[in-house]
Amino acid sequence: MVSGNLFHCRKNSWPPEEYITKTTLQLLDFDSATPPEQAWRRRLNSHANILKEFSVTFMEAIKMIRLGIRIWSYVREEASHGRKAPIDPFTRESCKPSASQGVPLGGMGSGSISRGFRGEFRQWQILPGLCEASPVMANQFSIFISRDGGNKSYASVLAPGQHEGLGSQRKADDEGISSWGWNLSGQHSTYHALFPRAWTIYDGEPDPELKVSCRQISPFIPHNYRESSFPAAVFVYTLVNTGKERAKVSLLFTWANSIGGVSRSGGHVNEPFIAEDGVSGVLLHHKTAKGNPPVTFAIAACETQNVSVSVLPCFGLSEGSNITAKGMWHKMVQDGQFDRENLSAGRSMPSSPGETLCAAVSATTWVEPHGKTTVAFSLAWTSPKVKFSKGSTFRRRYTKFYGTSERAAVNLAHDALTNYKRWEEEIEKWQSPVLNDEKLPEWYKFTLFNELYFLVAGGTIWIDTPSSSHLRKDRYKVAELENTDVEVKEAKVNSKQGVVVEQTTAFANGTAANGEQNYTDEEQSTDDSQEDDCGVPLSNRSSSQSLSMMDGRYDDDDNDVGRFLYLEGVEYIMWCTYDVHFYASFALLELFPKIELNIQREFAQAVLCEDGRRVKFLAEGNSGIRKVRGAVPHDLGTHDPWSEMNAYNIHDTSKWKDLNPKFVLQVYRDFAATGDMSFGVDVWPAVRTAMEYMDQFDRDGDGLIENDGFPDQTYDTWTVHGVSAYCGCLWLAALQAAAAMAHQLGDRDFAETCKRKYLKAKPAFEAKLWNGSYFNYDSGSSSNSKSIQADQLAGQWYTASSGLPSLFDEPKIKSALRKIYDFNVMKIKGGRMGAVNGMHPNGKVDETCMQSREIWTGVTYGLAATMILAGMEEEAFTTAEGIFIAGWSEEGYGYWFQTPEGWTLDGHYRSLIYMRPLAIWGMQYALNRPKAILEAPKINFMDRIHLSPVHGGFPHNETGVRKVANKAKCYGTSVFHCAC
């Protein structure tokens, strides 16, 4: 835990008084309108500099030229099929990335829209795997103010007029949005972010006598598996009149019928609606191109005794429109509202190709002198079906509660407006313990929460298909667990087609029911609507395309939380990339543990499967099969997730040395933290198989796995020879974890085998790599073999996180961490950038490859977590603060709400909006480990495993739970919400 006086000298990093006057803070201090003291802040007139992408050196380019040619050919081949390659370094977005991001909107997995700190709606990810970065500038909030006597009036868009998104559109005679009043300078307006909420305070802009607070709220609520899936957000305006005259204030919400970019398809329709409880607004039905599912937006406001709502269902951005953007603006300036009969106008005519239909909702209120008023708007969108490019279609999670009708947007918009106060209460209850902890530095508090933006904006998909957590229902009965064998036979491969055609599984009750789903493209139950256990509709695939999984009938109850996907990054379009999930998964385990356990179950099923389809690996130009039985897949796929895994094809990841140990470590950490015995039973056959698979890489019989002279790890351009600090340490930790889990599940033979291997491998690892102060990068003889790798203790991180005995003596652990801190951290701009991946012992950065010279944000957070667990709290927070300074602070490079995989020493980024920085939640986990983990060292399962005189490698005569002595239930010390 953090010592009480560690940060006593640090002042608040971001005191709100430096951004908002104390008087304004006091005036807005009601109804949550004032931003919290711990929030990330920006002035609206801050310059949003263009970000700089990394570039390879000349020598790196020479080494990678063949790979580059193969990737180029692969990208073109995918494009010829109408698909986007998962990794495409050649295509650049038309909108250059800039330092303008803010808190994204909505819950998880239903498509996302980000909102920049200056108010622009951008970074559209409604369709799976596709991201449109450009802002849609017609989507705005505006304000119109007039006062009794008619002496003062103001009309302005509530966004700075100097916005680069307007470009050259601002013309005096334009009928479009440039004719609007872009009068806000932003000098006295500020943005405050604490995900999932954000506040924009207009301190006397545009009216010096009116204080305005706009509060943005989204339903991201930990352990709430219902509302956290809702595609909706609320904008609550708090108005304070400091003048002596009554003010008439009209707030305007405009929205374009677009999912980002220029709409060329046509056929879009708008229509007004009236819902219950005074909620009314406009539906915008968007007909997507290329056969993608349609999208419907709803913009709405809530009419109260003091607030009247009116709508304009349709206006255009060009001169030929019936009502133009200029005409709409003039109407609001003149009247402050629209005609009431618009609410019964009915559907508009469908738009022509290239035409953009827009809609507007106005809320008008009177604010008395020194009075206060609240006005609330909501935004919701529905895209009930997720369609992947190879044809598979699923229903999104929110449809479980709202159905698939396009009218669901009305109900979502209504419910958001009627429930947002409860959402806020739950969010505040979750965040308060961290925000009120005076022992923690201010920057850490809001960065911890703001890094969670990725779970919304990271291309997440949450579908209603029941997850594999229900495979155990009616199979693993408590009474049947004892003395039960679980047998998983090897998949049979059709040599002609190269695809698994059979998977035989003997379950505890000796039977396996057929899985059945009720989803079709027609959204109704038919005979063709069955899906296999990969979750893919059988009607969309031939048998040669299927990847067999375990069979089982799903049950629909409160523990069914669906299936969840999130991208490695918006530039690396692969779902649930597992070597990166190793770092990011702490966030899901802490906040949505049922989702985390389901992801682990799905990878466990994948371990036991094989996909014999041939794939060309681009690094060497050779080929192999897509998925090898026993190997943990790199990812769950791109164009047909769950069915066509391993979209990554740079290297053959079945030969990677970190994936299988990472699987075992994550499974055991989750098993130990949740105490979910049923989860352990579900995944144990895969854990055994994953460990046995790695036996082939111990080529000298010393118990250690060896790397094979290519980048066979998450650092996939950084070559490794022989035993490596990174993979070797992960392997030692996995042996411990597998032994402890086997012991708890009653598989004592395997527990003994793992312990015996561990006792043999540990001294060999230290003899080959320990140099007296740290572990060498690898045991080879290359120029970087003695490099100091920042991530060399990744296995120890998980060992300590799981309550297992330390892998090494405490002096060795602290010596290695001190070496990393002194060299990889402090020698890089005095610790103000994070930890560089590789550093030579002479104090020079390891420039062997682009990754060795990069600073990886998530690795730095993971390193900091390891330091906390080792009792080095001050070094930990100094290390992690470098990421904050370079990425999030005003003096940094502008990577807020788009934290990249990494940056170079000159601040050039690689891969924006990346999964791994969620590892900051590994720090929080280290600070507040579950009770079950804290008590685990007293148990020390390794000491309880007694060795018999058996010799040799892993036994291959059984692959299941030999004898489960414990019944399938949660440990009494669990603090998580378990799925059992």
Side-chain angles (χ1 to χ4, degrees):
M1 299 297 291
V2 178
S3 56
N5 61 354
L6 182 59
F7 301 106
H8 70 280
C9 294
R10 296 185 184 224
K11 71 167 189 173
N12 290 353
S13 303
W14 303 71
E17 293 83 358
E18 294 184 7
Y19 292 79
I20 315 171
T21 64
K22 288 186 177 181
T23 302
T24 300
L25 287 171
Q26 292 171 353
L27 290 170
L28 292 172
D29 190 17
F30 77 103
D31 190 36
S32 301
T34 303
E37 291 184 6
Q38 303 88 357
W40 179 89
R41 313 186 196 281
R42 275 295 176 279
R43 298 189 189 280
L44 264 61
N45 65 345
S46 297
H47 177 62
N49 53 296
I50 301 298
L51 307 181
K52 297 179 180 179
E53 191 172 10
F54 87 106
S55 59
V56 297
T57 65
F58 177 76
M59 291 304 299
E60 289 168 350
I62 293 297
K63 292 178 182 179
M64 297 169 66
I65 190 167
R66 291 182 179 177
L67 171 61
I69 292 172
R70 294 188 189 109
I71 292 178
W72 169 251
S73 176
Y74 174 66
V75 169
R76 294 185 64 184
E77 179 184 356
E78 287 294 284
S80 70
H81 296 290
R83 299 190 295 263
K84 183 176 174 62
I87 301 176
D88 179 5
F90 305 105
T91 304
R92 291 291 174 264
E93 299 290 343
S94 57
C95 175
K96 293 184 178 180
S98 65
S100 58
Q101 298 288 13
V103 174
L105 304 167
M108 301 189 299
S110 295
S112 69
I113 306 166
S114 291
R115 192 174 185 226
F117 72 87
R118 293 181 300 188
E120 72 278 17
F121 295 85
R122 60 191 310 143
Q123 212 72 35
W124 301 72
Q125 296 187 80
I126 304 296
L127 303 178
L130 299 178
C131 179
E132 174 56 58
S134 303
V136 177
M137 294 304 294
N139 297 350
Q140 296 291 341
F141 284 100
S142 303
I143 194 167
F144 303 83
I145 308 161
S146 61
R147 293 184 179 271
D148 282 350
N151 297 325
K152 302 174 184 177
S153 63
Y154 304 89
S156 179
V157 178
L158 288 174
Q162 300 79 22
H163 199 290
E164 83 277 3
L166 290 173
S168 59
Q169 296 179 20
R170 303 192 69 188
K171 302 174 183 177
D173 58 347
D174 190 11
E175 296 291 327
I177 63 171
S178 66
S179 63
W180 296 354
W182 298 89
N183 304 318
L184 201 76
S185 71
Q187 181 179 358
H188 301 292
S189 301
T190 53
Y191 180 83
H192 311 258
L194 189 65
F195 179 89
R197 296 189 295 170
W199 294 254
T200 306
I201 307 299
Y202 305 91
D203 195 356
E205 285 191 281
D207 182 345
E209 295 182 335
L210 189 70
K211 310 297 183 182
V212 181
S213 168
C214 173
R215 191 163 84 259
Q216 173 186 315
I217 309 152
S218 292
F220 182 97
I221 306 168
H223 305 289
N224 183 326
Y225 297 89
R226 175 187 171 97
E227 288 165 303
S228 294
S229 72
F230 291 178
V234 177
F235 306 89
V236 182
Y237 280 85
T238 302
L239 311 171
V240 179
N241 183 6
T242 63
K244 298 179 180 179
E245 299 170 322
R246 190 171 65 146
K248 180 184 179 183
V249 180
S250 294
L251 288 160
L252 176 71
F253 188 16
T254 54
W255 198 259
N257 195 326
S258 166
I259 58 172
V262 179
S263 177
R264 297 185 175 87
S265 57
H268 314 309
V269 174
N270 295 355
E271 66 170 319
F273 69 86
I274 300 175
E276 297 177 348
D277 303 312
V279 174
S280 56
V282 182
L283 286 176
L284 299 90
H285 305 287
H286 187 84
K287 183 180 178 181
T288 57
K290 300 179 180 179
N292 287 305
V295 180
T296 298
F297 294 97
I299 56 172
C302 189
E303 188 162 286
T304 66
Q305 185 176 358
N306 301 319
V307 178
S308 62
V309 176
S310 60
V311 305
L312 181 63
C314 193
F315 69 89
L317 302 181
S318 58
E319 188 174 349
S321 304
N322 186 29
I323 301 175
T324 65
K326 184 176 182 178
M328 182 278 301
W329 188 266
H330 178 73
K331 172 72 172 176
M332 284 299 300
V333 170
Q334 185 176 28
D335 300 336
Q337 60 190 13
F338 302 113
D339 299 333
R340 296 291 295 182
E341 55 266 26
N342 288 348
L343 280 168
S344 56
R347 288 196 168 210
S348 69
M349 293 293 293
S351 64
S352 303
E355 179 187 9
T356 300
L357 294 183
C358 301
V361 174
S362 170
T364 303
T365 186
W366 285 92
V367 189
E368 299 297 326
H370 308 293
K372 302 173 181 180
T373 301
T374 298
V375 178
F377 294 88
S378 65
L379 167 68
W381 60 95
T382 58
S383 181
K385 292 190 293 184
V386 177
K387 181 181 179 182
F388 293 101
S389 59
K390 288 195 173 180
S392 298
T393 303
F394 306 91
R395 289 181 182 174
R396 295 191 190 266
R397 168 73 174 173
Y398 80 88
T399 64
K400 181 182 180 72
F401 316 107
Y402 284 91
T404 59
S405 167
E406 59 187 20
R407 304 289 299 183
V410 173
N411 296 328
L412 280 162
H414 167 272
D415 291 355
L417 286 168
T418 54
N419 291 321
Y420 74 85
K421 290 184 179 180
R422 178 176 53 80
W423 294 351
E424 286 196 284
E425 290 174 359
E426 295 185 34
I427 291 167
E428 289 172 359
K429 183 179 179 181
W430 156 49
Q431 294 182 337
S432 290
V434 173
L435 300 179
N436 296 333
D437 190 342
E438 296 181 355
K439 298 185 294 294
L440 297 172
E442 299 301 303
W443 66 263
Y444 171 78
K445 296 177 183 180
F446 57 77
T447 306
L448 175 73
F449 293 113
N450 284 334
E451 287 285 17
L452 291 172
Y453 84 94
F454 188 83
L455 289 178
V456 172
T460 54
I461 291 177
W462 196 354
I463 65 171
D464 184 33
T465 305
S467 69
S468 54
S469 64
H470 294 271
L471 293 176
R472 68 171 184 273
K473 288 275 186 165
D474 300 323
R475 277 205 320 249
Y476 294 120
K477 304 276 183 71
V478 171
E480 296 171 337
L481 277 171
E482 298 182 4
N483 302 308
T484 298
D485 288 338
V486 177
E487 180 187 5
V488 181
K489 295 183 179 180
E490 186 170 352
K492 298 179 181 180
V493 180
N494 185 313
S495 59
K496 293 182 180 180
Q497 295 176 333
V499 180
V500 171
V501 295
E502 181 179 352
Q503 174 99 27
T504 304
T505 307
F507 297 119
N509 63 359
T511 61
N514 292 325
E516 186 174 298
Q517 305 298 324
N518 62 344
Y519 307 146
T520 68
D521 286 343
E522 301 302 322
E523 299 183 354
Q524 59 186 358
S525 177
T526 70
D527 292 338
D528 296 327
S529 64
Q530 292 181 333
E531 295 179 2
D532 66 5
D533 287 294
C534 295
V536 181
L538 296 178
S539 58
N540 292 341
R541 296 219 316 261
S542 66
S543 59
S544 66
Q545 293 175 314
S546 65
L547 180 64
S548 294
M549 291 289 197
M550 292 182 178
D551 230 354
R553 184 171 300 278
Y554 298 110
D555 291 300
D556 187 10
D557 58 27
D558 291 340
N559 283 324
D560 171 21
V561 299
R563 308 178 84 173
F564 188 84
L565 298 170
Y566 65 147
L567 291 175
E568 179 177 339
V570 297
E571 298 176 37
Y572 297 161
I573 309 172
M574 293 165 283
W575 301 110
C576 295
T577 298
Y578 201 75
D579 56 311
V580 185
H581 182 69
F582 176 79
Y583 298 83
S585 59
F586 283 92
L588 286 174
L589 177 61
E590 186 84 8
L591 305 176
F592 296 94
K594 292 181 183 180
I595 289 177
E596 165 63 11
L597 295 186
N598 281 350
I599 290 175
Q600 302 292 39
R601 285 186 174 96
E602 290 176 343
F603 274 92
Q605 290 181 345
V607 168
L608 303 175
C609 294
E610 182 160 305
D611 183 346
R613 286 172 285 188
R614 305 296 294 182
V615 175
K616 182 177 181 180
F617 301 115
L618 304 179
E620 302 297 332
N622 59 335
S623 63
I625 67 173
R626 178 175 289 277
K627 167 67 180 69
V628 175
R629 185 183 187 276
V632 173
H634 172 274
D635 55 80
L636 292 179
T638 291
H639 303 305
D640 201 1
W642 297 296
S643 175
E644 188 178 89
M645 294 175 285
N646 281 336
Y648 177 92
N649 60 351
I650 304 297
H651 300 288
D652 182 355
T653 58
S654 67
K655 299 177 181 177
W656 276 19
K657 309 308 183 293
D658 63 336
L659 287 168
N660 281 39
K662 283 177 175 177
F663 169 71
V664 175
L665 288 172
Q666 288 185 76
V667 162
Y668 183 76
R669 177 206 57 191
D670 298 348
F671 175 64
T674 63
D676 188 339
M677 185 63 74
S678 297
F679 167 72
V681 172
D682 285 350
V683 301
W684 177 245
V687 171
R688 281 201 57 158
T689 302
M691 291 298 291
E692 291 167 352
Y693 180 86
M694 297 302 291
D695 210 23
Q696 63 183 300
F697 300 119
D698 176 13
R699 297 184 174 88
D700 56 6
D702 63 353
L704 285 173
I705 58 172
E706 284 86 37
N707 294 84
D708 283 327
F710 76 100
D712 48 357
Q713 55 181 10
T714 193
Y715 300 91
D716 58 352
T717 68
W718 200 355
T719 299
V720 200
H721 300 89
V723 176
S724 71
Y726 183 67
C727 297
C729 188
L730 290 171
W731 174 242
L732 289 179
L735 286 169
Q736 265 205 1
M741 192 169 182
H743 178 78
Q744 292 169 74
L745 292 175
D747 195 344
R748 295 183 180 87
D749 287 347
F750 197 75
E752 289 183 32
T753 299
C754 291
K755 180 175 180 178
R756 187 177 293 107
K757 272 188 168 290
Y758 171 77
L759 294 176
K760 187 177 183 181
K762 177 182 173 181
F765 180 85
E766 294 185 350
K768 292 182 178 181
L769 296 178
W770 181 252
N771 61 22
S773 60
Y774 66 95
F775 294 99
N776 291 335
Y777 176 68
D778 64 30
S779 62
S781 56
S782 62
S783 60
N784 71 321
S785 289
K786 289 182 169 54
S787 287
I788 309 163
Q789 185 181 14
D791 215 2
Q792 63 184 267
L793 290 178
Q796 172 59 28
W797 174 25
Y798 261 74
T799 293
S801 296
S802 304
L804 294 169
S806 292
L807 296 179
F808 315 108
D809 296 336
E810 183 178 341
K812 280 190 174 71
I813 294 171
K814 288 195 171 181
S815 174
L817 290 173
R818 170 58 62 180
K819 191 75 172 184
I820 297 167
Y821 178 78
D822 290 341
F823 280 70
N824 300 58
V825 177
M826 298 310 293
K827 288 186 181 295
I828 305 299
K829 295 192 177 181
R832 299 174 67 81
M833 289 195 74
V836 70
N837 284 336
M839 177 73 80
H840 290 296
N842 62 4
K844 294 184 178 180
V845 173
D846 184 345
E847 298 188 349
T848 302
C849 65
M850 70 179 191
Q851 290 177 343
S852 63
R853 61 183 172 90
E854 286 180 328
I855 294 162
W856 281 12
T857 52
V859 167
T860 299
Y861 286 142
L863 170 62
T866 311
M867 291 175 171
I868 291 171
L869 292 164
M872 300 171 62
E873 296 94 346
E874 186 167 2
E875 293 87 346
F877 281 95
T878 300
T879 296
E881 189 175 15
I883 302 301
F884 163 74
I885 293 172
W888 287 84
S889 73
E890 285 190 291
E891 61 187 273
Y893 299 105
Y895 296 129
W896 46 81
F897 301 102
Q898 52 186 334
T899 315
E901 158 76 305
W903 47 66
T904 56
L905 271 61
D906 57 2
H908 290 203
Y909 74 88
R910 183 168 63 81
S911 186
L912 291 173
I913 311 181
Y914 196 79
M915 182 197 295
R916 205 179 322 245
L918 285 171
I920 192 173
W921 279 86
M923 296 178 64
Q924 188 63 19
Y925 185 93
L927 292 168
N928 296 282
R929 280 173 288 172
K931 183 179 179 182
I933 298 297
L934 292 173
E935 293 183 355
K938 301 174 185 177
I939 301 172
N940 199 336
F941 292 110
M942 293 298 283
D943 289 345
R944 291 188 173 190
I945 301 172
H946 302 291
L947 300 180
S948 59
V950 178
H951 301 284
F954 288 122
H956 293 282
N957 59 331
E958 55 176 314
T959 60
V961 179
R962 179 176 172 271
K963 194 172 185 179
V964 181
N966 298 306
K967 294 182 178 180
K969 61 182 180 180
C970 292
Y971 299 144
T973 53
S974 173
V975 297
F976 287 105
H977 299 246
C978 298
C980 60

